[in-house]
Amino acid sequence: MATGTAGIRPAEPETTDVPRPPLVRELVLVTALFLVYKCGRLVANGHEARAFGNAGRVWDLERAVHLPGEGGVQDLLLHGGAVVRAANAYYAWIHFPATVAFLVWLYWRRPGHYVWARRVLALLTAAALALHLLVPLAPPRMLAESGLVDTARVYGPSVYGAAPAADGMANQFAAMPSLHFGWALMVAVGLIAATRGRWRALWLLHPLVTLLVVVGTANHYWLDALVATVLLGAALALVRVSSAGWRTAPPVARAVLR
């Protein structure tokens, strides 16, 4: 198991005696990043015609390259009402709290990994916001030709209103990429990098379950998760490269970058 995760290495050394960044500053920074992202999603809202046009193209592309149908995963969930409601609850309530818990645990127990993880998540989220602005995309639950059920609306619980305009704090046309999956994958990568247990690869169950949930509930296409994976890989690489320069920068520059 250890050899299978040897290639996942953090940008900073695994240690518990690295000084923690100031807590108040981190709270302000993370909160500001979240608010900028939420406001950016609201700016990206609307554009229904483009969103549905892009959805049709994504659906056709997936069929052209013979990706498995999202309906196959949804059929598994629809075998039981309790299963589909659990999937909807996972989609609604696990995504953000799990990521926050991940950052909090790193901050207190692995400060040497915390700044690295925060930078990667910030880059991933910024790239996702850019795509939301450039490529508005209706989720498969809104695409009639998909034949998929909007499981949250039918079975509950739902985090969205009945219509795209009904929820003032959400952009339902921001399916590409899936940050549910991207953040879950980063949580797994970060925990694998920050721990040494022989079973630490089991953290990958979180993004795996998340992938099945976001696809099975018809909130995302397979391509949404694939794009999120590519963006996360790019963010990890960029932070690794920039961290090498950060360690050799003068103290004043390091203070700014940190």
Side-chain angles (χ1 to χ4, degrees), residues 81-101:
V83 175
V84 70
R85 282 191 289 271
N88 290 334
Y90 195 97
Y91 180 85
W93 300 327
I94 299 299
H95 165 58
F96 188 71
T99 307
V100 171

Side-chain angles (χ1 to χ4, degrees), residues 195-220:
T195 57
R196 293 187 178 277
R198 62 182 299 181
W199 302 105
R200 69 189 193 277
L202 291 177
W203 288 116
L204 290 170
L205 289 174
H206 176 43
L208 175 60
V209 171
T210 300
L211 176 61
L212 296 177
V213 164
V214 300
V215 171
T217 58
N219 280 291
H220 288 283

